[in-house]
Amino acid sequence: MANAADAPSEITVEGEVRSIIFRDTGSGFTVAAVECEQGEVRVTGYLATLRPGANYIFYGEWVSHPKYGRQFSAGALEEVVPTEEEGIVGYLASGLIPGVGEKLACRLVDHFGLDTLRVISEEPARLTEVPGIGKKLARKITRSINENKEVERLMVFLRHHRVSTSLALKIHRQYGREAISRLKDNPYCLTEDIFGVGFLTADRLAQKLGLGRHARERLMAAALYVLGQAAGRGGHCFLPAEELIQQTLKLVNASDEEEPVQAEEVEAALGELVQRWGEAIKEDEKWWLPYLYRAEVGVAKELARLSGDERPVMAGKLTEAVKKAEAALGIKFAPSQEQAIRQAVQQGITVITGGPGTGKSTIVSGLIQVLSELEPGVRISLAAPTGRAAQRLTDLTDCEASTIHRLLGYTLAEGEPTFTYNRKNQLRTDLLVVDEFSMVDVVLAYQMLQAVPTAGRVVLVGDKDQLPSVGPGSVLRDIIASGQVPTVRLTQIFRQAEESLITVNAHRINHGQRLKLQNPSDFYYIRLEDPEAITQTVVDLAAKLTGTFGLENIQILAPMHKYVTGVQNLNRVLQERLNPPASNKREYPIRDSCFRVGDKVMAVRNNYEKGIFNGNQGRVVDIILTQEDEDVDEDTILVDFDGMLVPYTRSELDELLLAYAATVHKAQGSEFSCCIVVLSTQHWYMLQRNLLYTAVTRGKEHVVLVGSGRALARSIANNTVRERNTALASRIADLAT
């Protein structure tokens, strides 16, 4: 029950909930019939904890609905805890505590009488006096009762701010009993600590709590939010000073109220961020978040360290080792491949870049053979950013590869992500090969490079023409652009690869040339102009090809989430076609959709606690409801990520999306047996050459383009690269001079 100090002053309605007329499980929006002094009234609001048979005080206002007439819109509620034994039984058996029904509630009240609720809150250990209650269930009963009270208290506090129930639950999950005090102290902490909360939501709360529009704390929070969005959405490591000021002004003056914030006020707030808090760094009229500044400076320094002296190898021995590697692999290295192998053996760090079919994997296999011949017992480590890419590297080289996180010994210590291998405890390796390096962001690159011993060798393999990493930075391109790291550029397409139109057309797209088409082949283009027809054709193709390749091995790719040809709508219609509802399939509603057992899903946030990262794909294998399993405290979806079972509770479900269709950006680093690529003029401003090139190179055996001729022509012709604000190339060059 909420504290009196938090009790609101607006209109209240008190009564018993007779029935739940409607509830959206995802958002918590509820319509209930409540018996009160005025008779039976309709109460609406984001009231996820509301239960039939319980008594509440509702805080809000009377409104007139055009269809349903007069009803009470509640911003918050406060449960009236019963004081008679019969009422206490009903309260405990109402569904508040998963696993506690009427029989168990009766046993509790028979044993403790009117003192039952006090015992639960203050002396939970005594609950084991009741037959059938062990320590585990006793803890669960107490936790459920107390957390329910805390959530209600928090919702009362947030009643004015139109904060949804789902967000209130997230806030409670993050801060627990400290939620209200944390929000009063700094409401802008929500933007950093709660996934999906933007500045405007936190700002509304701050304004209600009395923080002025011109307050220095508000302007600092806005500037940090702008920098964070630039990194998270745009991949920028910094923003020019003028751009940061203008974007911050746009954000804080969004309401068009009188006395708008001025540029000099933002400049003063930025100065305080540096001087007082150290939460931003300014260099050469550029503003950085400290962790990105440290990462860029760190990558440049680590590259300089690893580039040091050449690794001495006698020319004759190296030539002999190359010949033995050719014999072992049954091939003859092309001049560019041999050059890459020799360079990788002799240099501390080497970059190998090239498109599909240019022999990158052959070089890696050859390098392993050569170095093993030259240095018996050599320690070799292979890694890639994603599980799929690591598995592909294993298949190609017959050597075990892992994700970069796993290689570095990622762990979670006291809630903070840490790595076993770092500058102080470096990897025990003589050669580190990292594939798909184009999708490694600047933060992970820094963590990885500092874990490599100075005497070791590093080979970075990637395609510089693909889209840059999802995270901030453009590391592979910047390293190559610096001109300071030995780089081998592969351009020759080998004969076997030339037989694949996927490879041929990927290179033609990359050079701005028209597609080569023939039937039969592994590459097809179906020309359709109407967005609805494109969508229907994609669904039909997916249903047909899934039978051939399997659900995990087929991926629909689109440039954007929006519109009928976008990822969001495609996932909706593909789910209904590829994994339709059935009596034996559980499903869980979320937002305007649902997750269903068997669904293909994708993580859209790095969750270090779970060891799951942005872009990881999995399958929903179970849905566990609290009322059916006393071991779970919140409805949970269980997802299989490559053999690792990971639970996602109801309040974490915005970290998952259906993944029958995905954006091209999210598919980086992954390959699929079959890719269907959607091209529509609805996504006009996203149609770029490197996006189409990246999409096509995700398919190994079968690629189908479906869409507009205009969209295809624009994608090939538009070679504009969306530059990211980075300074890594210049930092590397500066350290080399």
Side-chain angles (χ1 to χ4, degrees):
M1 187 169 175
N3 292 341
D6 294 316
S9 58
E10 68 259 43
I11 300 170
T12 63
V13 165
E14 182 174 353
E16 179 186 343
V17 177
R18 290 298 179 88
S19 65
I20 302 296
I21 299 170
F22 169 80
R23 172 168 286 156
D24 183 326
T25 309
S27 68
F29 182 79
T30 302
V31 179
V34 176
E35 185 67 32
C36 60
E37 288 184 358
Q38 297 92 332
E40 187 170 289
V41 299
R42 184 181 288 250
V43 176
T44 67
Y46 293 92
L47 311 169
T49 59
L50 202 66
R51 304 185 312 280
N55 287 276
Y56 297 90
I57 300 172
F58 298 95
Y59 301 94
E61 59 184 353
W62 291 100
V63 297
S64 180
H65 190 280
K67 182 176 180 180
Y68 300 109
R70 189 169 184 258
Q71 55 189 26
F72 192 76
S73 177
L77 57 81
E78 179 181 348
E79 185 162 6
V80 179
V81 178
T83 57
E84 298 182 356
E85 289 188 0
E86 184 179 351
I88 295 173
V89 170
Y91 175 71
L92 295 175
S94 64
L96 171 68
I97 310 165
V100 176
E102 187 171 353
K103 290 182 179 179
L104 186 53
C106 286
R107 291 207 303 272
L108 279 163
V109 175
D110 287 345
H111 190 85
F112 296 113
L114 296 177
D115 213 23
T116 300
L117 296 178
R118 187 198 64 78
V119 170
I120 290 173
S121 295
E122 300 176 12
E123 300 179 80
R126 289 189 59 197
L127 296 181
T128 57
E129 297 172 10
V130 179
I133 298 182
K135 291 181 179 180
K136 187 175 182 180
L137 182 55
R139 287 194 300 268
K140 187 168 189 176
I141 291 171
T142 300
R143 185 168 60 246
S144 297
I145 291 286
N146 291 338
E147 285 190 356
N148 196 60
K149 292 176 183 177
E150 289 295 330
V151 170
E152 288 178 10
R153 180 170 175 259
L154 178 61
M155 291 177 67
V156 169
F157 173 74
L158 297 172
R159 66 193 180 278
H160 289 302
H161 317 304
R162 303 293 181 187
V163 173
S164 69
T165 297
S166 59
L167 177 53
L169 291 171
K170 282 186 182 181
I171 293 172
H172 179 263
R173 183 184 183 89
Q174 179 71 26
Y175 304 126
R177 293 172 178 266
E178 304 299 319
I180 292 176
S181 62
R182 286 291 299 272
L183 295 179
K184 285 180 177 178
D185 182 55
N186 176 22
Y188 296 105
C189 65
L190 294 176
T191 63
E192 296 181 16
D193 297 338
I194 309 293
F195 178 66
V197 175
F199 175 82
L200 294 179
T201 299
D203 195 43
R204 281 194 298 270
L205 178 58
Q207 301 287 298
K208 292 291 185 180
L209 292 174
L211 194 67
R213 296 185 70 245
H214 297 260
R216 190 67 54 84
E217 293 84 356
R218 178 176 186 250
L219 304 186
M220 288 191 292
L224 287 174
Y225 181 75
V226 169
L227 285 173
Q229 290 294 98
R233 293 188 175 182
H236 300 299
C237 290
F238 69 84
L239 282 181
E242 184 60 29
E243 185 176 348
L244 174 58
I245 291 170
Q246 292 305 314
Q247 287 194 30
T248 303
L249 286 172
K250 182 178 179 181
L251 187 63
V252 298
N253 291 328
S255 58
D256 293 327
E257 295 184 20
E258 296 180 1
E259 299 184 14
V261 174
Q262 302 299 316
E264 53 267 25
E265 295 178 87
V266 174
E267 289 184 40
L270 287 169
E272 189 163 342
L273 272 177
V274 174
Q275 297 165 12
R276 183 180 174 189
W277 302 108
E279 294 185 37
I281 292 174
K282 187 180 183 183
E283 179 187 79
D284 299 330
E285 292 303 308
K286 302 178 180 74
W287 282 95
W288 310 71
L289 291 171
Y291 81 97
L292 291 175
Y293 182 86
R294 288 192 296 268
E296 267 209 354
V297 170
V299 167
K301 288 182 177 178
E302 295 302 325
L303 289 171
R305 174 178 66 86
L306 293 167
S307 296
D309 299 332
E310 288 190 4
R311 278 54 175 169
V313 180
M314 292 181 63
K317 286 189 175 182
L318 181 53
T319 298
E320 184 180 346
V322 169
K323 289 180 178 178
K324 286 186 176 181
E326 288 178 327
L329 296 173
I331 60 172
K332 172 69 176 174
F333 294 130
S336 60
Q337 292 177 317
E338 184 172 338
Q339 177 200 353
I341 292 171
R342 288 176 174 272
Q343 190 163 287
V345 170
Q346 295 174 310
Q347 299 290 335
I349 186 158
T350 301
V351 172
I352 300 172
T353 184
T358 56
K360 297 190 296 294
S361 59
T362 300
I363 291 171
V364 175
S365 296
L367 176 59
I368 293 170
Q369 293 281 342
V370 168
L371 207 54
S372 298
E373 175 67 25
L374 290 170
E375 301 176 12
V378 66
R379 298 167 298 182
I380 297 174
S381 302
L382 305 181
T386 67
R388 276 180 173 268
Q391 183 58 53
R392 186 174 70 252
L393 188 57
T394 298
D395 295 341
L396 291 171
T397 62
D398 289 328
C399 295
E400 186 66 28
S402 69
T403 64
I404 297 172
H405 284 89
R406 188 174 301 164
L407 174 73
L408 297 178
Y410 160 80
T411 56
L412 198 71
E414 298 181 356
E416 292 296 323
T418 60
F419 294 89
T420 302
Y421 296 102
N422 48 47
R423 181 183 290 106
K424 294 181 179 179
N425 180 37
Q426 294 181 321
L427 293 163
R428 280 64 166 171
T429 189
D430 302 303
L431 170 67
L432 170 61
V433 179
V434 185
D435 198 13
E436 292 285 359
F437 192 71
S438 64
M439 69 175 299
V440 175
D441 63 44
V442 69
V443 178
L444 184 57
Y446 176 44
Q447 187 66 48
M448 180 190 77
L449 290 172
Q450 62 182 308
V452 180
T454 302
R457 302 172 178 88
V458 178
V459 178
L460 307 176
V461 183
D463 187 343
K464 68 178 181 62
D465 295 318
Q466 287 185 18
L467 292 170
S469 57
V470 174
S474 188
V475 183
L476 179 62
R477 288 183 188 175
D478 285 350
I479 291 174
I480 295 172
S482 74
Q484 302 302 317
V485 177
T487 300
V488 178
R489 294 173 172 84
L490 305 173
T491 57
Q492 178 185 349
I493 306 176
F494 291 93
R495 183 174 301 172
Q496 185 176 357
E498 283 182 332
E499 297 173 1
S500 165
L501 278 191
I502 296 175
T503 300
V504 170
N505 281 320
H507 286 273
R508 293 181 71 85
I509 290 166
N510 204 26
H511 290 92
Q513 300 170 345
R514 296 180 64 180
L515 299 178
K516 181 179 179 180
L517 300 172
Q518 65 185 44
N519 194 6
S521 75
D522 57 1
F523 187 100
Y524 296 89
Y525 170 45
I526 300 174
R527 180 167 182 168
L528 294 167
E529 300 297 330
D530 178 62
E532 295 285 355
I534 292 171
T535 300
Q536 187 58 53
T537 299
V538 167
V539 173
D540 292 341
L541 269 174
K544 178 181 178 181
L545 293 172
T546 297
T548 302
F549 295 102
L551 189 58
E552 277 83 7
N553 297 316
I554 184 170
Q555 186 65 54
I556 290 79
L557 299 173
M560 294 175 64
H561 285 279
K562 297 194 300 182
Y563 307 113
V564 69
T565 54
V567 166
Q568 186 173 349
N569 182 61
L570 285 169
N571 271 319
R572 181 183 62 81
V573 293
L574 285 163
Q575 181 192 45
E576 292 306 300
R577 184 70 173 272
L578 302 180
N579 188 31
S583 58
N584 62 340
K585 288 183 190 175
R586 282 195 162 183
E587 57 184 51
Y588 195 84
I590 179 72
R591 296 179 289 274
D592 56 351
S593 181
C594 75
F595 288 121
R596 187 175 294 140
V597 170
D599 275 339
K600 186 177 181 180
V601 296
M602 175 185 290
V604 293
R605 179 198 180 198
N606 288 343
N607 190 315
Y608 292 98
E609 185 175 350
K610 297 181 185 297
I612 296 299
F613 303 96
N614 194 345
N616 288 168
Q617 287 194 8
R619 291 284 290 273
V620 176
V621 294
D622 199 5
I623 295 173
I624 307 165
L625 304 178
T626 55
Q627 63 263 36
E628 298 176 0
D629 190 333
E630 69 172 38
D631 290 328
V632 297
D633 298 319
E634 196 174 345
D635 293 346
T636 299
I637 288 180
L638 197 61
V639 182
D640 183 345
F641 289 99
D642 294 326
M644 182 170 66
L645 296 180
V646 180
Y648 280 83
T649 61
R650 189 183 81 176
S651 58
E652 297 173 319
L653 291 184
D654 57 357
E655 297 182 20
L656 294 176
L657 289 178
L658 293 174
Y660 300 99
T663 63
V664 181
H665 286 82
K666 292 293 187 185
Q668 288 173 262
S670 296
E671 280 189 350
F672 305 90
S673 298
C674 175
C675 283
I676 302 173
V677 183
V678 179
L679 294 171
S680 170
T681 53
Q682 290 184 322
H683 303 150
W684 189 258
Y685 83 93
M686 285 291 291
L687 298 175
Q688 298 170 271
R689 185 182 297 174
N690 64 345
L691 184 138
L692 179 58
Y693 174 75
T694 302
V696 168
T697 54
R698 298 310 89 203
K700 292 189 296 183
E701 301 174 29
H702 202 81
V703 170
V704 185
L705 307 186
V706 182
S708 159
R710 287 182 62 215
L712 174 60
R714 175 175 170 81
S715 297
I716 295 174
N718 182 14
N719 197 28
T720 303
V721 176
R722 298 189 175 181
E723 297 295 340
R724 293 183 167 187
N725 294 331
T726 70
L728 180 58
S730 61
R731 293 188 194 283
I732 297 170
D734 289 345
L735 285 174
T737 56

